[in-house]
Amino acid sequence: MNEKSNPIVVALDGKSWEEILPIVSALSTTGCILKVNDLLFLEGIGRLLPRLSAYGSVMADLKCHDIPNTVGNTVKRLRACPPWAVTVHASAGEEALKQAVKALEGTPTKVLAITVLTSIDEKTCGEIYCRPPMDQVLALASIAKRAGVHGFVCSPEEVGKLKELYPGMEFVIPGIRSPGKNTNDQRRIATPKAAMEAGATKLVMGRQILDAPDPVGEVNRVLKEELAIDINV
C-alpha cells in the first residue's frame, strides 16, 4: 500500500529505537505514517528523522508551545530532513504558528495545529479553558487558520464541524479505537470508521497497533474490515 490510500498514523510512543525498529521495518509495507514524540526528544531530531524516514513518512509530534521565536527556531531544525508534518499547539498563539509556517516555507512539511487534546474531557476542559471542548476547538482553529497552518489535530467529536468550516485542510484525529478496545487515557474517542465518516483525513492509532501480536496484521485488519480499504492497492 501507499500513504495516499492508508489513513493510519502509528504513534510510536513509549519505546526505544531498538524496540521500534522491527515494528517500523515491518510497517514500511503498509504505507502508515510514523508519529514520534518522546522518542524524538530521546534520540534528537538530527539523529532520528533521517533513520526513521527510511521506513515511511514521519509525523514529528513536537507539540511546540512556546514564544514565537522559540517555536520558529525549534521547527527550523526540521528543514535538514523535512517530515510529513509537525505539530504546534494553537494555544501558543497566532504569531507562534506563523513562525512555524514561515520556518518551513519551501518544504513539503505540513504544520498541524493542536486544538484540545483528546485526553481532556468536558469537565477538565472547563477547568483549563473555561468553556466546552467544541467552543475551545473552534476558537483555536480560527486562530490557527489565520496563521496559515495546513491542518488541525482535534478529536472525532469536532472534526465534522471543522471540516465544514475549513474544507481542504488536513484533519488528524487521535483517540481512535476499534470497537471493544481499551480506551486507556483517551476521553473524546471514536472508532476508525466513525472518525473517517465524520471527516478525518488521518487516524492516529498507537497502543492498539503496537501492543498487537502482529502490528502489520492489525493495521491490515482495520483497513480491510473496518474501513473497507483494499489493502492490495
Side-chain angles (χ1 to χ4, degrees):
M1 290 193 70
N2 58 51
E3 184 186 305
K4 289 183 179 180
S5 54
N6 183 352
I8 295 177
V9 176
V10 179
L12 303 170
D13 297 327
K15 296 184 182 294
S16 68
W17 171 251
E18 290 72 25
E19 289 174 311
I20 71 157
L21 183 55
I23 297 174
V24 297
S25 180
L27 288 173
S28 65
T29 63
T30 67
C32 288
I33 291 174
L34 308 171
K35 183 180 84 69
V36 279
N37 175 254
D38 58 303
L39 187 62
L40 198 57
F41 296 108
L42 176 67
E43 294 288 330
I45 290 171
R47 176 177 166 83
L48 181 63
L49 283 185
R51 290 190 294 169
L52 190 58
S53 295
Y55 299 95
S57 295
V58 178
M59 179 175 167
D61 192 20
L62 289 176
K63 291 186 169 72
C64 293
H65 193 291
D66 216 311
I67 64 172
N69 187 61
T70 300
V71 170
N73 286 338
T74 302
V75 171
K76 195 181 298 181
R77 304 287 184 181
L78 302 174
R79 293 187 67 90
C81 184
W84 171 73
V86 63
T87 56
V88 179
H89 273 284
S91 53
E94 184 175 348
E95 188 56 36
L97 292 166
K98 284 181 176 178
Q99 287 295 319
V101 173
K102 182 179 178 181
L104 292 168
E105 283 180 352
T107 77
T109 303
K110 301 175 187 293
V111 175
L112 304 176
I114 296 172
T115 55
V116 176
L117 299 172
T118 48
S119 61
I120 294 176
D121 59 16
E122 187 156 350
K123 177 178 180 294
T124 305
C125 191
E127 292 173 345
I128 297 172
Y129 299 113
C130 301
R131 65 175 92 180
M134 179 64 82
D135 292 348
Q136 182 63 18
V137 167
L138 292 176
L140 292 171
S142 177
I143 293 169
K145 186 64 170 64
R146 291 199 308 267
V149 303
H150 307 95
F152 307 100
V153 181
C154 66
S155 92
E157 295 179 5
E158 299 93 31
V159 64
K161 185 63 177 178
L162 287 188
K163 192 155 192 173
E164 178 185 319
L165 293 170
Y166 309 112
M169 302 284 278
E170 197 78 58
F171 298 96
V172 179
I173 313 301
I176 302 301
R177 296 288 190 276
S178 293
K181 296 294 184 179
N182 193 332
T183 60
N184 301 110
D185 53 357
Q186 301 283 16
R187 294 295 176 265
R188 296 175 2 263
I189 64 172
T191 64
K193 182 179 180 181
M196 291 297 290
E197 289 177 346
T201 58
K202 298 293 182 187
L203 307 173
V204 180
M205 304 181 73
R207 284 162 282 195
Q208 178 179 329
I209 292 172
L210 295 188
D211 296 342
D214 177 8
V216 172
E218 180 64 3
V219 166
N220 288 337
R221 185 198 66 77
V222 171
L223 292 172
K224 184 177 180 181
E225 297 179 10
E226 298 187 45
L227 298 177
I229 293 174
D230 186 356
I231 62 174
N232 296 313
V233 173

